[in-house]
Amino acid sequence: SGGHRVPRSAVQLLAPVGDPEKVICVGLNYRDHCLEQDVKVPKEPIIFNKFPSAIIGPFDDIVHPEDSTEVDWEVELAAVIGKKGRHIQEASAMEHVVGFTVANDVSARDWQIKRNGRQWLLGKTFDTFCPLGPALVTKEAVMDAHNLRISCSVNGRVMQDSSTNQLIFRLPRLIAWVSRFVTLVPGDILLTGTPPGVGAFRKPPVFLKRGDEVRCEIEELGVICNKVV
């Protein structure tokens, strides 16, 4: 109605889903991201997770851990589950999605790749390592989730610029796959993977430092922008 409005500058936007039961992530899910690492395209989805405590709002600060020197960015399309299901069939999988949002799968590469037995969890789930937002866009409002421009810039320099049409495993396959192992419930968040251009595989590598500003954008879904502190 326009009757109850406040200026954006007067409010703090929270993550559209702040306390999900699960944050499920997919690794190596863009063809061009596999190419930049010189690794084979996976035959099955590579699944890992973040803890919900990593989630922050679309314009909140990313806290650079004292324990890491290799903090990296990963813009990702995030799907939010709206309907409970287990052993979901691909043909009906999108019925279980309520909408989409922008995510940054912030990653401490030293902990992901070199430490903790090379298990990914700790490197992925430091507090503040999952900015989300700026809003939950319902699936009916998105023309084609598998054909959206997706990009990330650091301090105004474009680092990632691709399209979700590069996804190896699309949402129906991912939802069917994950639901073989766990029950998906409303509010669960599925991060679908990142395109090429992350800092770890640049020559030389580039990592985030305090004072940097990371801007992640997906066509039709909006922009999140987070300062590293």
Side-chain angles (χ1 to χ4, degrees), residues 64-86:
H64 193 299
E66 296 289 345
D67 288 327
S68 176
T69 58
E70 299 183 356
V71 178
D72 206 346
W73 57 84
E74 291 191 10
V75 61
E76 307 208 6
L77 169 69
V80 180
I81 298 300
K83 177 183 174 183
K84 185 176 180 179
R86 179 85 197 276

Side-chain angles (χ1 to χ4, degrees), residues 36-54:
E36 77 170 341
Q37 298 179 59
D38 194 27
V39 297
K40 292 181 179 179
V41 172
K43 290 184 169 56
E44 296 175 334
I46 298 172
I47 304 298
F48 62 98
N49 73 298
K50 289 177 176 281
F51 293 134
S53 55

Side-chain angles (χ1 to χ4, degrees), residues 5-192:
R5 293 190 176 188
V6 293
R8 174 68 65 85
S9 59
V11 299
Q12 176 191 8
L13 286 184
L14 303 179
V17 182
D19 190 23
E21 182 177 287
K22 295 183 283 296
V23 181
I24 302 163
C25 310
V26 186
L28 298 176
N29 199 29
Y30 277 73
R31 298 182 188 281
D32 40 14
H33 184 45
C34 293
L35 290 174
E36 77 170 341
Q37 298 179 59
D38 194 27
V39 297
K40 292 181 179 179
V41 172
K43 290 184 169 56
E44 296 175 334
I46 298 172
I47 304 298
F48 62 98
N49 73 298
K50 289 177 176 281
F51 293 134
S53 55
I55 292 174
I56 58 173
F59 306 108
D60 291 342
D61 292 337
I62 297 167
V63 177
H64 193 299
E66 296 289 345
D67 288 327
S68 176
T69 58
E70 299 183 356
V71 178
D72 206 346
W73 57 84
E74 291 191 10
V75 61
E76 307 208 6
L77 169 69
V80 180
I81 298 300
K83 177 183 174 183
K84 185 176 180 179
R86 179 85 197 276
H87 299 297
I88 299 166
Q89 298 300 309
E90 285 190 42
S92 60
M94 293 306 291
E95 297 174 12
H96 292 262
V97 174
V98 67
F100 308 99
T101 194
V102 182
N104 185 354
D105 176 17
V106 184
S107 306
R109 301 299 187 191
D110 37 8
W111 283 93
Q112 178 191 359
I113 298 171
K114 303 170 185 174
R115 304 182 66 176
N116 194 41
R118 297 187 178 181
Q119 297 182 67
W120 289 12
L121 177 63
L122 286 184
K124 293 286 190 175
T125 201
F126 280 94
D127 286 352
T128 75
F129 269 25
C130 190
L132 284 179
L136 175 62
V137 181
T138 57
K139 64 183 176 187
E140 293 81 9
V142 177
M143 187 76 69
D144 181 1
H146 298 103
N147 192 29
L148 300 174
R149 185 177 179 185
I150 180 170
S151 63
C152 175
S153 63
V154 179
N155 301 328
R157 178 186 172 193
V158 176
M159 297 296 194
Q160 296 179 277
D161 190 1
S162 186
S163 171
T164 57
N165 65 23
Q166 289 288 310
L167 283 167
I168 298 165
F169 304 108
R170 297 189 168 200
L171 280 163
R173 175 76 189 280
L174 292 175
I175 290 166
W177 177 262
V178 171
S179 72
R180 288 172 56 178
F181 307 94
V182 297
T183 300
L184 295 175
V185 300
D188 282 351
I189 299 170
L190 178 61
L191 275 60
T192 57

